[in-house]
Amino acid sequence: MTRGQLALQPGWGDAVTGVTFVPQDDHKLSLDELGRKYQVDLSRGLTNARAAEILVQDGPNALTPPPTTPEWVKFCRQLFGGFSILLWIGAILCFLAYGIQAAMEDEPANDNVDNSSLTGESEPQTRSPEFTHENPLETRNICFFSTNCVEGGPPSPFIFFFFCQSRE
């Protein structure tokens, strides 16, 4: 049986779309037969009582709007769907790795910085969070702008200081 032949069967439906097809033979009827079938006077139309009866039976002649997805659901789909879930997993793994690394370190190691651009010294200078000298240029808890950290890392709470020399 073809789809067209199935559509002629009473109550046949499409399983994919969920649409139920009702056989129609109105196109084969004459105008008088149509008037009798739908209880309407073709010259004057429906009576008010018959129109009210049809309205109660079938509801208003209006299309229902399609269902919409709430905005918060769309937002969550964008935030957690597709490739972004891989980014979330990577971020969580980074936080876990950082937490494990921070828990395993007893004390932050001293950092060594290269001050050769400021002082001309070729040896790296040790830096630590402790205050060591009244003079800000001599204390060990300040790193200057043009210095490079050659050993250690940023967990120590240093004071970063912009050191400018006047050029005359």
Side-chain angles (χ1 to χ4, degrees):
M1 244 183 205
T2 66
R3 185 176 178 138
Q5 291 169 334
L6 284 174
L8 296 176
Q9 304 298 317
W12 176 77
D14 188 351
V16 175
T17 61
V19 175
T20 302
F21 298 102
V22 178
Q24 293 289 324
D25 61 352
D26 290 347
H27 64 286
K28 298 178 186 177
L29 302 175
S30 68
L31 290 178
D32 291 334
E33 292 171 331
L34 277 174
R36 281 192 302 274
K37 180 177 179 180
Y38 291 108
Q39 301 170 0
V40 65
D41 182 1
L42 296 178
S43 61
R44 288 184 274 162
L46 292 174
T47 63
N48 288 338
R50 178 69 180 138
E53 180 184 322
I54 292 173
L55 181 63
V56 170
Q57 177 184 348
D58 296 335
N61 187 16
L63 295 175
T64 56
T68 59
T69 305
E71 294 298 321
W72 67 272
V73 172
K74 292 178 188 177
F75 176 75
C76 287
R77 283 184 185 161
Q78 290 297 320
L79 194 60
F80 300 112
F83 181 70
S84 60
I85 196 71
L86 294 175
L87 296 174
W88 281 110
I89 291 170
I92 291 168
L93 290 175
C94 284
F95 279 117
L96 288 174
Y98 179 77
I100 291 170
Q101 181 183 5
M104 294 179 78
E105 287 182 5
D106 296 332
E107 247 179 59
N110 288 339
D111 295 328
N112 290 326
V113 295
D114 180 13
N115 279 345
S116 62
S117 63
L118 296 175
T119 63
E121 299 174 56
S122 60
E123 296 294 319
Q125 302 298 307
T126 304
R127 295 291 181 246
S128 65
E130 292 83 27
F131 167 75
T132 59
H133 200 278
E134 287 291 328
N135 185 351
L137 299 177
E138 298 292 330
T139 188
R140 299 270 180 209
N141 64 344
I142 294 180
C143 291
F144 297 103
F145 177 69
S146 62
T147 60
N148 295 321
C149 186
V150 293
E151 185 179 331
S156 300
F158 290 129
I159 300 171
F160 290 95
F161 198 87
F162 293 94
F163 184 78
C164 300
Q165 294 179 346
S166 63
R167 297 182 186 203
E168 297 181 28

